[in-house]
Amino acid sequence: MAQLPLTGDEEGGAQALVPPRPSLRSLREAAAGCRACPLWKTGTQTVFGEGLKRSRVLLVGEQPGDREDREGRPFVGPAGRVLDDALETAGIERGDAYVTNVVKHFKWEARGKRRIHQSPKAEEIRACAPWLEAELDVVRPELVVCLGATAVKAVLGPSSRVMRDHGRVEASRLGPPAMPTLHPSAILRADGEDRDSAMAMLVGDLRAARARL
Ligand code: URA
Ligand code: SF4
């Protein structure tokens, strides 16, 4: 099986939980009990990927956000709305894509009553890698679209750069070819014209992805 650079199958690791000849359902059930890194303690639930087996395109983000953590589904909060808009403009049906994240639990820090997103650490990304690898093995997409730097680095390696490489399809070490693009949250953080041009970039990349399918 293709492996992320630092995938561990050490004792207590996620790899040991991956069932032999997994289906998406058995993977999801196994991942629900994952405790391979500390993030399960503060996250509400494992937010596993969603979509049909044999989806031709797999979209991968960083980690679930606040809404995703509560609902147990990827990209259903504000970033998910941006992603849905971009997919629609690019002519990709969300239901035709498998949507997931590099890290399956929400990492956050309390600020008053709010839960603020924190970036996952390298060891958390490494601990969670077996789940994404297993999803890729079951879905076998023709193309992986990496949304933002965490996904780009996890799939394409540490020397890939979103702004330099976006929209280009490259061989990935995980099997299927992969394309870097912006994370929808980057669009939410931008204002005015910057927001418009960031959205245009995401849509343009998704159109290029669609053209390859
Ligand atoms: N951001 C992500 O990277 N993934 C989600 O599922 C939601 C927000
Ligand atoms: Fe397991 Fe990933 Fe959750 Fe860590 S973030 S507990 S590795 S599912």
Side-chain angles (χ1 to χ4, degrees):
M1 181 170 59
Q3 301 236 307
L4 285 169
L6 295 165
T7 293
D9 39 19
E10 58 272 5
E11 227 176 298
Q15 188 62 55
L17 300 177
V18 174
R21 290 187 301 282
S23 63
L24 289 176
R25 182 202 287 220
S26 69
L27 277 180
R28 166 187 293 278
E29 284 168 6
C34 183
R35 296 183 167 195
C37 84
L39 297 183
W40 69 271
K41 293 181 201 166
T42 47
T44 305
Q45 57 190 316
T46 305
V47 179
F48 206 66
E50 201 175 71
L52 298 175
K53 187 180 172 178
R54 304 286 184 254
S55 295
R56 294 172 71 194
V57 60
L58 182 146
L59 307 173
V60 55
E62 181 191 75
Q63 61 162 327
D66 180 79
R67 276 281 295 283
E68 289 79 13
D69 172 75
R70 295 174 201 276
E71 291 191 29
R73 299 178 53 207
F75 283 106
V76 291
R81 255 192 321 275
V82 172
L83 179 62
D84 288 346
D85 285 351
L87 286 169
E88 193 182 342
T89 312
I92 298 175
E93 290 271 345
R94 175 152 166 173
D96 288 341
Y98 186 89
V99 180
T100 192
N101 286 296
V102 171
V103 170
K104 272 40 175 186
H105 271 101
F106 178 37
K107 181 172 183 180
W108 57 278
E109 152 188 86
R111 205 168 297 159
K113 285 192 180 152
R114 294 182 58 207
R115 303 192 301 169
I116 305 296
H117 160 275
Q118 281 194 300
S119 296
K121 289 196 234 168
E123 63 230 64
E124 292 152 354
I125 292 170
R126 177 173 90 105
C128 214
W131 297 120
L132 177 61
E133 291 170 3
E135 289 173 297
L136 285 165
D137 278 349
V138 174
V139 177
R140 298 192 177 281
E142 289 166 39
L143 181 66
V144 177
V145 175
C146 303
L147 303 166
T150 300
V152 167
K153 288 178 194 306
V155 174
L156 286 162
S159 55
S160 279
R161 297 284 177 276
V162 174
M163 295 311 282
R164 185 192 64 199
D165 303 330
H166 76 92
R168 288 212 301 256
V169 177
E170 296 165 47
S172 85
R173 56 179 127 208
L174 295 185
M179 173 193 283
T181 191
L182 282 183
H183 195 288
S185 297
I187 293 160
L188 288 172
R189 284 193 299 268
D191 296 314
E193 279 177 27
D194 287 348
R195 180 180 288 215
D196 294 344
S197 61
M199 187 64 169
M201 186 183 289
L202 176 60
V203 168
D205 292 347
L206 291 172
R207 282 205 174 104
R210 177 172 166 243
R212 289 196 44 115
L213 298 174

